[in-house]
Amino acid sequence: MKYSYFAPTEIVSGVGCVSSFGRFSLYGSKCAIITGKNMYKHNSALTDTISALEKENISYLVINEAENNPSVKSVFDFASRINSFGATFIIGIGGGSSMDTAKAVAIVSANKELTEDTVFSVSSEAQSLPVILIGTTAGTGSEVMPSAVLTIPGDIPIKKSVKTKNSYAKVALCDYTYTSSMPATITVSTALDSICHAIEAIYSKRGGEWSKIYGHAALRKVMPALLKFTENVDNDQQIRDDLYFGSILAGLAINDGGTSFPHSMGYMLTTMHETAHGFACAVFISQFIEKISAIENISETLNSCGMSSSEEFAEKINKIISAYYKKPILSLEQAQKYADLAFKMNVNNNNLNLSRDDCVDIYLEMSKEGACK
């Protein structure tokens, strides 16, 4: 039985936890805040953070330019500005992109010898500036993972992770009320991302018992909450709380097991078709379940989802997807190009032993007319 695990992030949860935290000064007297340009408009996460820093007499630099798919170039730009300011720690506020940006900037800021060409080969033992993360979406699980996913430009932009043993957040401040301002489409997309995290981790080659424990716990929270949300599309606070907690559980699952072909193949839909990350992964999750069910017993996973069969799972997931997302129709040439890139990632972090041609077929099956109806 395999159950080794490393997750050093302190999780502080509850309504108002940012305002009441009171320990920011443990990390220094100068802070850089990384967030998106519209954070002021969406909720009070940024203003709450600034007020809390001011109470502890901490000076701060706000960089509200985090990109949806953070580029390596922006990370080095932000790191230069942060070092000039003299920040001793970083706070990332927002969804996965803002939080990933904060973690990547923290690595680059602490290792000034790194370049855009060498950042992805950074030593696993390299230091990082302390990071505190405040999530405003419920899906990525970035709060409890060390990795930061960055986008490398090209004819087909690719996504690649940078991480060290020291790039975990010191603290994750988890207040689900910050997610209440998310529109329905983003709420659904991020919840689907959590579901993909959980399922991919459960059947991961790399993972052990914790992937399964956290993954099934995440599904028991997220799946019923998502179904209730899509039926009512309201801001029921229990639904928001369950979706956020479920996303943290799913993050803890992939912290152990990592992701698999729905994520690896979904990245190309995000970069080439401007598809929200959760939808880009979720359009493959029914195929993943179907293929896994042919070689493994998936009854516990289906039970955790409240489903009786893989067919029922596919029907409900695809009904949700089709209500919020219009999938791209791919040509054979596109499917082949995307498969070439995806096959170099985590496609086979499972027991399926997919070939590159299998990946082409998965892309084409996903994109054919009626596949998500």
Side-chain angles (χ1 to χ4, degrees), residues 306-367:
M307 309 291 174
S308 59
S309 66
S310 57
E311 290 78 13
E312 182 185 7
F313 175 87
E315 179 184 357
K316 290 193 175 181
I317 285 291
N318 290 333
K319 182 179 179 181
I320 291 170
I321 293 171
S322 63
Y324 291 90
Y325 170 62
K326 182 176 176 60
K327 60 185 172 55
I329 306 300
L330 305 182
S331 67
L332 176 60
E333 182 182 9
Q334 285 175 311
Q336 291 170 335
K337 286 181 178 179
Y338 297 173
D340 288 338
L341 293 171
F343 197 66
K344 297 175 183 178
M345 300 185 202
N346 291 330
V347 164
N348 278 318
N349 181 25
N350 51 62
N351 292 318
L352 294 173
N353 296 316
L354 299 177
S355 68
R356 178 263 190 188
D357 288 342
D358 290 331
C359 294
V360 173
D361 291 341
I362 290 168
Y363 273 120
L364 293 175
E365 176 65 22
M366 176 279 302
S367 70

Side-chain angles (χ1 to χ4, degrees), residues 37-170:
K37 64 182 179 180
N38 293 316
M39 185 52 61
Y40 276 114
K41 301 175 184 177
H42 287 166
N43 58 50
S44 63
L46 179 56
T47 54
D48 288 349
T49 301
I50 289 173
S51 295
L53 293 174
E54 289 176 344
K55 286 180 183 177
E56 296 187 51
N57 297 314
I58 297 171
S59 56
Y60 55 88
L61 167 71
V62 177
I63 299 178
N64 62 341
E65 302 159 36
E67 303 166 307
N68 283 336
N69 297 295
S71 65
V72 178
K73 183 178 183 301
S74 69
V75 164
F76 276 81
D77 174 46
F78 297 167
S80 175
R81 290 155 65 180
I82 284 169
N83 284 337
S84 295
F85 175 68
T88 57
F89 69 104
I90 296 173
I91 298 177
I93 307 174
S97 293
S98 292
M99 291 189 283
D100 281 11
T101 300
K103 286 183 285 187
V105 169
I107 293 171
V108 172
S109 296
N111 299 276
K112 297 179 177 60
E113 75 282 1
L114 290 175
T115 67
E116 293 184 27
D117 294 325
T118 63
V119 65
F120 293 107
S121 57
V122 64
S123 167
S124 63
E125 304 296 330
Q127 293 301 308
S128 172
L129 289 186
V131 174
I132 296 173
L133 296 178
I134 302 169
T136 63
T137 65
T140 71
S142 184
E143 296 94 329
V144 293
M145 294 185 294
S147 55
V149 180
L150 305 180
T151 301
I152 302 172
D155 292 339
I156 300 178
I158 61 172
K159 288 177 174 284
K160 198 170 182 180
S161 295
V162 56
K163 65 179 180 179
T164 78
K165 289 181 179 178
N166 299 299
S167 57
Y168 285 91
K170 298 296 184 184

